[in-house]
Amino acid sequence: MDNVFLNLLDEAREKAGVPFKILSGYRTIEHNLLVNGKKNSSHLFGLAADIYLPKSSRKRFLIINSLLEVGFNRMGIAFDKGFVHVDMDRSKDKNVLWTY
């Protein structure tokens, strides 16, 4: 995992005051195929994490807001699956938010 990425995640966790349960971090090519990850997934480079989103709307807000506050600008939210994907892949578009 990229150290800068991990430090930002840790900073966001501290700001949120909520534990971050990481559902997926670094992935091998084989594991990425197993979970139907994209061919160019940022997980393959240690630049992404999927963080569990609790059912509490307040905790969800705290998590997502803290990620934005520390400077993350690439997120995908899967409310039905209960996670937020966050990455800092500089090879991809900035300032994007998508849903699954």
Side-chain angles (χ1 to χ4, degrees):
M1 292 293 296
D2 182 88
N3 282 332
V4 173
F5 177 76
L6 289 176
N7 287 333
L8 279 176
L9 265 187
D10 195 41
E11 187 180 336
R13 179 194 51 78
E14 285 183 34
K15 280 185 177 287
V18 176
F20 280 17
K21 180 179 177 182
I22 306 299
L23 302 175
S24 183
Y26 172 78
R27 295 181 189 159
T28 62
I29 293 170
E30 296 80 14
H31 182 71
N32 196 54
L33 287 171
L34 252 161
V35 298
N36 295 317
K38 295 193 178 216
K39 189 176 181 177
N40 66 338
S41 172
S42 301
H43 289 277
L44 295 169
F45 308 103
L47 295 171
D50 295 341
I51 304 166
Y52 171 73
L53 284 177
K55 301 251 185 258
S56 161
S57 59
R58 177 72 179 147
K59 288 181 181 177
R60 286 178 173 181
F61 174 83
L62 290 171
I63 291 169
I64 292 168
N65 190 58
S66 71
L67 293 168
L68 290 167
E69 281 184 357
V70 301
F72 284 109
N73 59 23
R74 292 184 45 77
M75 280 188 247
I77 301 175
F79 286 115
D80 291 347
K81 295 179 183 178
F83 72 89
V84 58
H85 166 96
V86 61
D87 72 62
M88 58 175 274
D89 193 330
R90 293 172 190 89
S91 72
K92 297 179 180 171
D93 289 340
K94 295 182 201 175
N95 302 320
V96 293
L97 177 65
W98 62 92
T99 58
Y100 293 92

